[in-house]
Amino acid sequence: MIPGAFEYHRPETLGEATGLLSQLGDSARVLAGGHSLIPMMKLRMAAPEHLIDLAAIADLRGIAVGDDIRIGAMVTQAELIAHDGLAAACPLLREAALQIADPQVRYVGTVGGNVANGDPGNDMPGLMQCLGARYSLAGPGGTREVAARDFYISAYETARADDEILTGILVPHPAPGTGYAYEKQKRKIGDYATAAAAVTIGRNGASVAMTNLADRPIWSEAAGKALAAGDAAGAVAAALAEIDPGDDNRGPAEFKRHVAGVMLRRAIDRARARMG
Amino acid sequence: MAKMHVKMTVNGTQVEALAEPRTLLIHFLREELGITGPHIGCETSHCGACTVDVDGRSVKSCTMFVGQANGASVTTVEGLVNPDGSLGVLQEMFREHHGLQCGFCTPGMITRAHRLLQENPNPSEEEVRFGMSGNLCRCTGYQNIVKAIMAAAAVLRGEKEAAE
């Protein structure tokens, strides 16, 4: 499987990268870890004429735990998992990242790529919605932030403009004692979720998001409110009312709906057990 | 499309070549350099037969463009032999514990296991299974693969000597 021909660019600064992207327009794609884009290029479902590899841009790397938690777009899943300060500040991130793909993919696949790509099967988008994260975007007009809960429009369609690059993710610190869980049903290691649920419960309320059960991640405000009021069954019912799974080789929609309910209930139970 | 100049260290040897940017690392290793240890299995980043080590990371080389490995240090199963050319510890333990049947997945298994043991020299069996979960063996010889890696870990820790 040989991808179409392209020209390879490796800018060393963010300004160079956004400049290239503006200049090359639709014929260019940015390359993070490439573990979504390269398979698509091998299938010739994507055939960019230019690839702008973000790997050499130091500003896109690194994890900083300060007033917020900042995760650079080019941080790999393996780097996220290995970061003890991050795991102490927000353990849900490590728990979920360990359920993504397989070890080799996690060494290369990036958090930024996972959230920016808009693939409804990716785990990080729902997770970031659950955590109330914000994304930093840089374009020719400067930088801006978009809430993860406002970012996803439909499959592969997001609030990111074509000439913008997602540079990092800002995650607010969960309140002390917040219970959390990420539950994912998959057919095998490396598969996308048949259904997955992210839950936090703490003194600031509760939050519920579902993965791969619609053309975008589903953060359910109603489910979070029900859960904060102590109504787990109501939270599950509210979340199931908002998902819209389709039939595919992971099963018919009714099956996915069933699995979604089970995953969410398990995530709620585990998050409650972990509350401090 | 213009070729790009690529430079990397492969199994300790500096290599330089011109390559089309769309060249995948696995094709560069096998076709340009003649290093055929890493295998092409599924070509869809599932099976792990093409696993190589790139700057201390286990990577599926069917899912990395050669430019992404430009300047990197790459190790394949060929690079895991002892300096005298005899089998390295992991290779020897795979032989001793029958960790291979048809052998197709073996280079990827051993290269991945090498990185796993670098990061965790004393893994539990469960940690080995989780750490090896990106490599498929279609002979389904997983029990002996896990045994071989556990044995190699013990030898590398100096707790056990390899049988002659």
Side-chain angles (χ1 to χ4, degrees):
Chain A
M1 288 168 27
I2 313 290
F6 60 85
E7 202 172 318
Y8 177 82
H9 306 266
R10 196 180 174 90
E12 291 184 356
T13 65
L14 186 57
E16 264 179 78
T18 52
L20 274 169
L21 195 53
S22 307
Q23 176 200 325
L24 298 169
D26 282 352
S27 65
R29 290 282 301 269
V30 298
L31 177 70
H35 275 50
S36 298
L37 182 57
I38 296 173
M40 296 293 273
M41 289 176 65
K42 286 161 79 173
L43 294 167
R44 307 277 176 134
M45 292 167 80
E49 291 165 39
H50 298 269
L51 271 191
I52 303 169
D53 189 349
L54 303 179
I57 304 173
D59 288 350
L60 300 181
R61 299 210 164 265
I63 295 170
V65 180
D67 290 342
D68 275 324
I69 299 161
R70 184 185 182 277
I71 303 167
M74 289 296 284
V75 168
T76 65
Q77 305 292 355
E79 289 167 346
L80 182 150
I81 290 164
H83 197 286
D84 289 333
L86 181 68
C90 185
L92 179 57
L93 287 166
R94 178 185 278 178
E95 174 165 302
L98 281 166
Q99 298 180 54
I100 293 174
D102 65 39
Q104 283 93 323
V105 175
R106 292 194 293 268
Y107 278 110
V108 184
T110 64
V111 184
N114 196 289
V115 301
N117 188 27
D119 183 339
N122 286 350
D123 293 282
M124 287 280 163
L127 187 71
M128 294 304 173
Q129 291 191 333
C130 177
L131 290 167
R134 307 184 309 282
Y135 301 153
S136 304
L137 300 167
T143 60
R144 64 182 179 124
E145 282 182 12
V146 178
R149 291 171 191 170
D150 298 329
F151 188 73
Y152 299 96
I153 298 163
S154 64
Y156 302 102
E157 195 187 341
T158 68
R160 184 185 65 82
D162 286 344
D163 58 1
E164 285 181 313
I165 292 172
L166 189 145
T167 57
I169 299 149
L170 296 158
V171 183
H173 284 275
T178 296
Y180 64 91
Y182 192 71
E183 285 283 347
K184 178 178 180 179
Q185 163 75 54
K186 54 190 173 183
R187 298 172 300 178
K188 59 175 274 291
I189 289 273
D191 194 16
Y192 291 113
T194 302
V199 170
T200 59
I201 315 175
R203 67 179 69 144
N204 296 341
S207 182
V208 172
M210 310 290 293
T211 291
N212 216 10
L213 293 160
D215 63 355
R216 61 193 188 283
I218 298 294
W219 177 71
S220 171
E221 190 171 6
K225 279 188 176 150
L227 191 53
D231 180 7
V236 173
L240 294 189
E242 290 185 51
I243 62 173
D244 183 24
D247 302 337
D248 61 20
N249 55 14
R250 289 185 187 83
E254 274 317 297
F255 171 69
K256 292 184 183 178
R257 194 170 280 285
H258 169 73
V259 177
V262 175
M263 289 302 107
L264 179 51
R265 186 65 217 215
R266 284 185 192 171
I268 290 170
D269 290 347
R270 217 148 49 82
R272 280 178 163 172
R274 283 167 162 172
M275 282 175 73
Chain B
M1 203 62 66
K3 290 193 173 184
M4 62 187 288
H5 189 230
V6 179
K7 212 172 160 177
M8 62 183 83
T9 305
V10 181
N11 298 327
T13 304
Q14 181 104 40
V15 299
E16 285 189 57
L18 289 172
E20 269 194 86
R22 64 172 167 172
T23 308
L24 296 159
L25 180 58
I26 184 70
H27 292 136
F28 184 73
L29 292 170
R30 290 178 60 88
E31 289 155 27
E32 182 70 33
L33 305 181
I35 295 173
T36 53
H39 286 165
I40 299 175
C42 69
E43 289 195 80
T44 54
S45 40
H46 288 103
C47 78
C50 65
T51 299
V52 301
D53 204 78
V54 177
D55 284 339
R57 304 171 299 166
S58 300
V59 167
K60 292 183 176 174
S61 60
C62 79
T63 310
M64 177 170 275
F65 289 121
V66 68
Q68 294 175 278
N70 204 358
S73 176
V74 177
T75 304
T76 69
V77 72
E78 287 92 338
L80 297 176
V81 293
N82 293 326
D84 67 1
S86 60
L87 294 181
V89 170
L90 265 163
Q91 295 164 335
E92 184 60 33
M93 289 300 105
F94 267 67
R95 191 189 67 77
E96 190 178 317
H97 291 271
H98 302 277
L100 61 152
Q101 292 174 44
C102 83
F104 191 88
C105 71
T106 312
M109 288 284 179
I110 288 178
T111 313
R112 169 59 196 141
H114 165 72
R115 181 53 45 201
L116 173 64
L117 296 185
Q118 293 285 312
E119 292 182 356
N120 183 358
N122 192 11
S124 66
E125 191 180 314
E126 196 187 336
E127 286 168 336
V128 169
R129 289 180 184 278
F130 187 72
M132 296 300 297
S133 60
N135 293 73
L136 302 180
C137 167
R138 290 298 79 177
C139 304
T140 67
Y142 295 106
Q143 299 291 352
N144 287 351
I145 290 169
V146 173
K147 273 186 208 160
I149 296 169
M150 294 297 284
V155 172
L156 290 165
R157 289 194 307 269
E159 290 168 13
K160 184 171 161 279
E161 284 202 15
E164 285 302 317

